[in-house]
Amino acid sequence: MIEICQLLAASVAIMWFVILVIINVILPCVLGEESQSGDGTHWMDFWVVRLLLNLLGYATIFVPGYLLMRYLRNIRYNETAGSSILNEGGEIGKAPSFLSNLIKHCVFGNDDKVSLESAEEGGESPSGTEESQNPMKRGFTLVFCLVGLQGAYLTWGVLQERIMTFEYGKEDGQGEFFKNSQFLVFINRILAFIIGMTVIFFRRQPHHTTPLYNYSFSSFSNIMSSWCQYEALKFVSFPTQILAKASKVIPVMLMGKVVSKRTYQYHEYITAGMISVGVTLFLLNSGDVTRHKGSVTTISGVILLAGYMAFDSFTSNWQGELFKRHKVSSIQMMTGVNMFSCLLTGVSLLEQGGFFDSFAFMARHHLFVVHAIVLSLCSAGGQLFIFYTISQFGAVTFTIIMTLRQAFAILLSCVIYGHPVTFIALIGIVIVFVALFLRIYANQKKKSQKPTGSTTTTSKV
């Protein structure tokens, strides 16, 4: 049975490779290229069309994967692949191959029990390190985390807006926009995956039990949230997008009720209402500057921002469930999610000829190459700073730092790219960040008053 499954998997892989080659050659000829003028004259310029093509690409992974998983579960593949087999002579047969073990870990996981001792050996450092560091050393560590997070994500935000909203090559004649948001998602994820694998190789991790396919759900939602985030910059300004991120606590709360059945305190609903009021004041009174104009593009921006918040909310809640159920480390989560992200976006880009178009754009505009590399370094490095900051100082300190980053990002964007902000819009911004800090303060106060050993179902968003 194992040999049949391996032969089936090899046949599917070969057939899939041939199909990819055929589609990759035919699609660019049949569908044509996107118009370079950015005026929306080609049907490929519509974000809805690009979204549908991306989803079709992801379906070519999810649909066969689901069918294969269902077949393997029906034949109980893990029972034969994970155990020794006696042949007719009473001798022990061959040990499971690498492919068999890979299939088992992807579909069934590893439920082998390990001692708490070994799990703790591979675990991350606890957040309570105050006693192990003197105040000066701890202060330097906090400054290091603050500078690292602010530097990585402020640079990432500035470059993100530059890549998606300004033309390249305009000084040499007719400029052109970079349009393939999925390619930016791919280069960010491939570098993060490489870094995650490197950390796992050199630093021992907790015993991994969760089936690898569990990461694909949060990977898909993470891809979609990032894609919506990049696409939204074509229709709304960067400050608008930042405030939308700040207001994502609302869909996170809604998703928490649906996914995790969580309950929330009164102050969380009050601060969520304040955030809604602040964002509304900003949106109604800001002079938005985008590459597109008109009410239709404004509606598109709102839809994309709503998609970003919905997908991002699912990502955080699903990953929270994996952390709770399987006790995976942050690096394992980072590596697993980015592995599936690379697979999904890579296949989709191959099917659409996205790699060829993007590499051709790089060849025409060397400045874009520099921007793309720095963007990826900031994205991957920022993830490492996130995990390190939380492990050293906890989630509250990290949340405060990232909230300050959002405020600095709006200020930096307005200064560099000249976004106009009216007085009422400024009041809306202040209301949003006051609500965020009130939320942090109330959650921390409630946590400090909680009796030792008690648990709560209140969500940390």
Side-chain angles (χ1 to χ4, degrees):
M1 184 61 69
I2 297 177
E3 288 74 11
I4 295 177
C5 290
Q6 292 175 347
L7 181 61
L8 178 62
S11 302
V12 171
I14 295 174
M15 182 178 63
W16 185 241
F17 176 77
V18 174
I19 293 175
L20 276 180
V21 173
I22 295 174
I23 295 178
N24 196 38
V25 173
I26 294 177
L27 271 179
C29 300
V30 176
L31 299 180
E33 297 181 356
E34 299 180 52
S35 62
Q36 300 298 331
S37 60
D39 56 2
T41 56
H42 195 279
W43 66 278
M44 279 287 291
D45 287 323
F46 293 100
W47 67 268
V48 176
V49 175
R50 293 194 296 272
L51 175 61
L52 291 176
L53 289 176
N54 292 347
L55 292 176
L56 285 175
Y58 305 150
T60 57
I61 295 295
F62 278 118
V63 174
Y66 168 76
L67 295 176
L68 182 60
M69 283 179 51
R70 187 174 178 180
Y71 170 74
L72 292 173
R73 289 181 181 277
N74 287 338
I75 65 173
R76 298 181 179 180
Y77 181 82
N78 60 320
E79 297 180 5
T80 56
S83 59
S84 302
I85 302 176
L86 296 178
N87 56 26
E88 294 180 356
E91 299 176 351
I92 298 179
K94 294 183 179 179
S97 65
F98 170 78
L99 180 59
S100 299
N101 283 325
L102 180 61
I103 293 175
K104 179 185 176 183
H105 285 290
C106 286
V107 180
F108 303 97
N110 187 357
D111 293 329
D112 297 335
K113 303 298 180 181
V114 293
S115 64
L116 181 61
E117 219 176 82
S118 62
E120 289 177 349
E121 283 179 5
E124 297 178 333
S125 301
S127 58
T129 59
E130 290 85 354
E131 295 79 5
S132 61
Q133 294 184 9
N134 59 56
M136 182 173 293
K137 183 177 180 181
R138 188 161 178 79
F140 279 122
T141 304
L142 179 60
V143 172
F144 173 73
C145 294
L146 176 65
V147 173
L149 286 170
Q150 299 289 354
Y153 282 106
L154 288 177
T155 304
W156 177 80
V158 170
L159 286 177
Q160 176 187 340
E161 185 173 9
R162 171 63 180 86
I163 290 174
M164 299 306 301
T165 61
F166 288 85
E167 292 177 297
Y168 284 90
K170 196 170 184 179
E171 60 278 1
D172 300 327
Q174 185 178 3
E176 57 179 325
F177 291 107
F178 181 76
K179 299 182 178 183
N180 200 331
S181 301
Q182 188 173 216
F183 180 75
L184 295 179
V185 177
F186 174 80
I187 60 176
N188 288 345
R189 300 302 182 267
I190 189 68
L191 183 59
F193 172 68
I194 293 173
I195 292 177
M197 287 297 297
T198 303
V199 173
I200 288 177
F201 182 78
F202 287 104
R203 181 182 177 186
R204 188 174 180 181
Q205 300 295 313
H207 184 69
H208 191 272
T209 60
T210 180
L212 292 179
Y213 80 88
N214 280 333
Y215 295 119
S216 64
F217 301 109
S218 57
S219 175
F220 171 74
S221 59
N222 182 259
I223 290 172
M224 294 304 301
S225 65
S226 298
W227 185 87
C228 290
Q229 180 181 7
Y230 284 118
E231 287 290 312
L233 283 176
K234 300 177 182 179
F235 306 101
V236 299
S237 68
F238 186 75
T240 302
Q241 186 188 88
I242 289 294
L243 285 185
K245 291 181 183 180
S247 64
K248 74 178 183 180
V249 294
I250 301 171
V252 166
M253 289 171 63
L254 295 176
M255 199 67 68
K257 279 186 170 294
V258 174
V259 176
S260 306
K261 308 298 182 183
R262 290 174 177 168
T263 59
Y264 300 94
Q265 304 299 315
Y266 287 112
H267 75 269
E268 295 179 290
Y269 289 107
I270 293 173
T271 53
M274 291 176 62
I275 291 172
S276 300
V277 171
V279 172
T280 301
L281 287 176
F282 176 83
L283 293 178
L284 294 178
N285 295 277
S286 64
D288 217 355
V289 180
T290 66
R291 81 156 74 163
H292 296 291
K293 307 295 179 184
S295 59
V296 174
T297 57
T298 302
I299 294 174
S300 296
V302 172
I303 294 174
L304 287 167
L305 286 177
Y308 158 74
M309 290 187 290
F311 284 115
D312 194 60
S313 301
F314 176 84
T315 300
S316 58
N317 279 280
W318 182 263
Q319 290 181 349
E321 288 298 306
L322 290 184
F323 279 125
K324 184 169 62 176
R325 293 180 183 178
H326 299 281
K327 310 299 181 184
V328 298
S329 70
S330 298
I331 294 297
Q332 288 173 336
M333 179 72 72
M334 170 182 171
T335 306
V337 170
N338 285 306
M339 177 185 68
F340 278 100
S341 297
C342 294
L343 175 64
L344 294 171
T345 54
V347 169
S348 182
L349 285 168
L350 280 173
E351 293 176 348
Q352 299 178 44
F355 283 117
F356 292 106
D357 291 341
S358 299
F359 290 149
F361 191 93
M362 286 182 167
R364 294 193 299 269
H365 307 288
H366 296 162
L367 180 60
F368 171 76
V369 178
V370 177
H371 289 168
I373 292 174
V374 176
L375 185 78
S376 299
L377 289 173
C378 289
S379 177
Q383 291 186 48
L384 293 178
F385 272 109
I386 287 175
F387 301 142
Y388 182 72
T389 302
I390 293 176
S391 68
Q392 293 296 313
F393 300 99
V396 175
T397 301
F398 166 74
T399 304
I400 293 174
I401 293 175
M402 295 305 286
T403 302
L404 289 173
R405 191 271 300 183
Q406 292 176 330
F408 292 150
I410 292 178
L411 177 62
L412 200 60
S413 177
C414 291
V415 171
I416 295 178
Y417 299 115
H419 297 294
V421 179
T422 65
F423 179 72
I424 297 180
L426 182 61
I427 292 177
I429 295 175
V430 172
I431 291 175
V432 169
F433 286 100
V434 167
L436 291 175
F437 281 110
L438 284 176
R439 189 181 187 88
I440 296 171
Y441 171 76
N443 285 337
Q444 181 64 12
K445 185 176 180 181
K446 182 177 183 299
K447 182 179 179 181
S448 63
Q449 293 176 348
K450 185 180 65 174
T452 305
S454 63
T455 58
T456 180
T457 56
T458 301
S459 173
K460 296 178 181 178
V461 293

